[in-house]
């Protein structure tokens, strides 16, 4: 890298060379994150269809293949779906606000992709290693709702508007619970930096992960993440049996696909954050060979896949909750639990060190 930077300096001069090298390296890193993420979204849809089909004793996609290879049957389905979406016409309703109608999917996908800037894949692999990473994540994830609200309003459809209002109320409700759960992680790690949070879970085994002392917060964060992404059984914002398809009922072609990409990108983001906050991020479950020989980002990807499996399992298992049930779960159960746990955690942290060392608490505190 130093040789490449020196070539930039030799050609463009010290100031411009350093600036252009920094720009080129950052753009390379951005593409290295976004392209695998979009491929991950595509094949997450394939995994969802195959896993749920297996749970329901069906076959799932098994026709579209690559070059007729038998053991790749169905693996070409996400590519076929993407080509079909690109070829479809984007139909804008006559009474819709055309500018906001097109802008809404963009406002939804941008925060979903921008949040990945601070995700550490390993101690060295992170695009922006900022100290306020956790605060940045909260800011980015809360901005996606603006695209959904604008989509429901700009369509000038009662169904779309009702879906947008449901989604807004749902996101606001569960954003609080997710934020309080992350406050507990902040109290444990004493840092807003995601890399420091992972390093705070280092130890000889998975007993050092925050999963154990913060297990109720892990459940709250995971379930709130399912609700935050409008996934089943919390998908009242796009309840087909009630309001047709919710806020994106009037969208078609690539405009609809962008909403689709944002939803699945947010699913992977929630899984990544859950892995970093509670499951040790890139750390292996046991700090001995051969576990330590596996690269850190592979462990992170395996943990993300494990969490994503629960998203798919929930969809195949639970019926859709009523709107009042979703609100009651968020406001009357999750938020009180997180507040109680914050108080309890603060009391434990304030205990004298001699008392904490007398119990297994010294593993985490």
């Amino acid at each position: 890298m130093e040789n490449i930077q020196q070539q930039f300096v030799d050609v463009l001069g010290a100031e411009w060379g350093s600036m252009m090298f920094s720009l080129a390296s950052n753009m390379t890193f951005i593409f290295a994150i976004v392209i695998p993420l979009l491929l991950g979204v595509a094949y997450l849809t394939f995994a969802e269809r195959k896993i749920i089909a297996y749970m329901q004793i069906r076959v799932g996609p098994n026709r579209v293949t690559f070059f007729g290879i038998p053991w790749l049957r169905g693996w070409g389905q996400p590519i076929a779906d993407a080509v079909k979406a690109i070829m479809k016409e984007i139909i804008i309703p006559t009474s819709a606000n055309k500018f906001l109608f097109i802008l809404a999917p963009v406002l939804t996908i941008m925060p979903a992709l921008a949040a990945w800037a601070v995700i550490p894949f390993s101690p060295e692999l992170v695009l922006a290693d900022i100290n306020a990473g956790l605060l940045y994540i909260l800011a980015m994830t809360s901005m996606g709702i603006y695209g959904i609200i604008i989509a429901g309003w700009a369509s000038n459809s009662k169904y779309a508007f009702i879906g947008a209002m449901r989604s807004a109320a749902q996101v606001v409700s569960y954003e609080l619970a997710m934020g309080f759960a992350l406050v507990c992680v902040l109290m444990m790690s004493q840092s807003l930096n995601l890399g420091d949070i992972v390093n705070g879970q280092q130890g000889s085994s998975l007993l050092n992960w925050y999963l154990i002392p913060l297990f109720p917060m892990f459940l709250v964060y995971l379930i709130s993440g399912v609700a935050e992404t409008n996934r089943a059984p919390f998908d009242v914002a796009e309840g087909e049996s009630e309001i047709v398809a919710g806020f994106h009922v009037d969208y078609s072609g690539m405009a609809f696909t962008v909403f689709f990409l944002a939803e699945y990108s947010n699913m992977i983001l929630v899984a990544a954050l859950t892995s970093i906050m509670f499951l040790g991020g890139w750390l292996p479950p046991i700090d001995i060979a051969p576990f330590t020989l596996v690269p850190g980002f592979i462990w992170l990807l395996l943990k993300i896949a494990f969490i994503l499996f629960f998203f798919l399992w929930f969809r195949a298992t639970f019926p859709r909750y009523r709107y009042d049930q979703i609100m009651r779960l968020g406001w009357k159960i999750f938020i009180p639990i997180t507040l109680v746990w914050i108080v309890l955690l603060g009391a434990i942290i304030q205990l004298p060190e001699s008392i904490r060392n007398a119990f297994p608490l010294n593993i985490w505190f």
Side-chain angles (χ1 to χ4, degrees), residues 28-339:
T28 303
F29 210 151
I30 289 170
F31 280 111
I33 293 173
V34 171
I35 292 174
L37 176 62
L38 295 181
L39 286 174
V41 166
Y43 279 93
L44 178 58
T45 64
F46 176 68
E48 180 176 23
R49 295 162 77 176
K50 293 295 282 187
I51 290 171
I52 294 179
Y54 178 79
M55 290 179 175
Q56 297 173 346
I57 319 178
R58 296 185 289 108
V59 177
N62 68 336
R63 285 292 181 268
V64 186
T65 183
F66 290 111
F67 311 108
I69 302 174
W71 53 275
L72 288 180
R73 279 184 173 274
W75 284 79
Q77 190 65 52
I79 310 299
D81 292 338
V83 172
K84 177 184 177 183
I86 291 171
M87 295 176 66
K88 278 186 172 291
E89 179 186 3
I90 299 177
I91 300 173
I92 302 177
T94 305
S95 58
N97 185 313
K98 294 178 174 56
F99 174 73
L100 294 179
F101 189 84
I102 298 298
L103 181 64
V106 179
L107 292 179
T108 306
I109 190 68
M110 283 174 59
L113 298 180
W116 284 88
V118 297
I119 298 295
F121 299 93
S122 73
E124 300 83 18
L125 287 176
V126 57
L127 177 59
D129 189 17
I130 61 176
N131 290 329
L134 196 58
L135 194 61
Y136 174 83
I137 288 288
L138 288 172
M140 285 294 107
T141 53
S142 61
M143 285 178 62
I145 188 60
Y146 291 111
I148 293 175
I149 293 174
I150 290 173
W153 184 85
S155 300
N156 199 19
S157 164
K158 291 183 176 62
Y159 289 130
F161 189 68
I162 291 171
M165 290 300 99
R166 283 184 175 188
S167 183
Q170 184 171 312
V171 168
V172 168
S173 301
Y174 286 90
E175 190 83 31
L176 288 170
M178 292 179 77
F180 285 141
L182 295 185
V183 167
C184 294
V185 175
L186 169 61
M187 294 170 69
M188 293 284 292
S189 63
Q190 302 294 310
S191 176
L192 284 167
N193 185 286
L194 297 182
D196 291 344
I197 291 172
V198 175
N199 291 328
Q201 302 174 68
Q202 279 186 328
S204 58
S205 70
L206 54 81
L207 294 176
N208 297 84
W209 296 353
Y210 293 153
L211 173 68
I212 296 173
L214 299 180
F215 185 72
M217 297 302 96
F218 166 76
L219 294 179
V220 167
Y221 188 82
L222 179 60
I223 298 171
S224 297
V226 176
E228 180 90 0
T229 51
N230 291 321
R231 292 284 301 178
F234 300 96
D235 56 340
V236 292
E238 43 191 79
E240 294 85 357
S241 59
E242 304 163 13
I243 51 176
V244 190
F247 58 89
H248 50 51
V249 63
D250 291 316
Y251 283 86
S252 60
M254 278 305 296
F256 172 77
T257 305
V258 171
F259 278 118
F260 200 70
L261 290 173
E263 178 181 320
Y264 280 80
S265 297
N266 282 321
M267 283 173 58
I268 301 175
L269 178 65
V270 169
L273 288 172
T274 306
S275 303
I276 289 169
M277 304 294 175
F278 302 99
L279 302 180
W282 63 77
L283 299 174
I286 304 175
D287 196 20
I288 58 172
F291 296 98
T292 54
L293 301 178
V294 179
F297 73 92
I298 298 296
W299 283 118
L300 180 60
L301 293 179
L302 289 174
K303 292 170 185 177
I304 291 173
F306 174 72
I307 296 298
L308 286 173
F309 175 76
F310 285 97
F311 278 81
L312 311 184
W313 192 4
F314 293 159
R315 178 176 177 181
T317 305
F318 297 105
R320 181 182 296 128
Y321 288 164
R322 290 198 318 266
Y323 181 73
D324 63 301
Q325 292 173 328
I326 292 176
M327 291 296 104
R328 183 167 62 249
L329 179 66
W331 288 100
K332 293 187 176 181
I333 299 176
F334 280 0
I335 291 177
I337 287 175
T338 53
L339 290 174

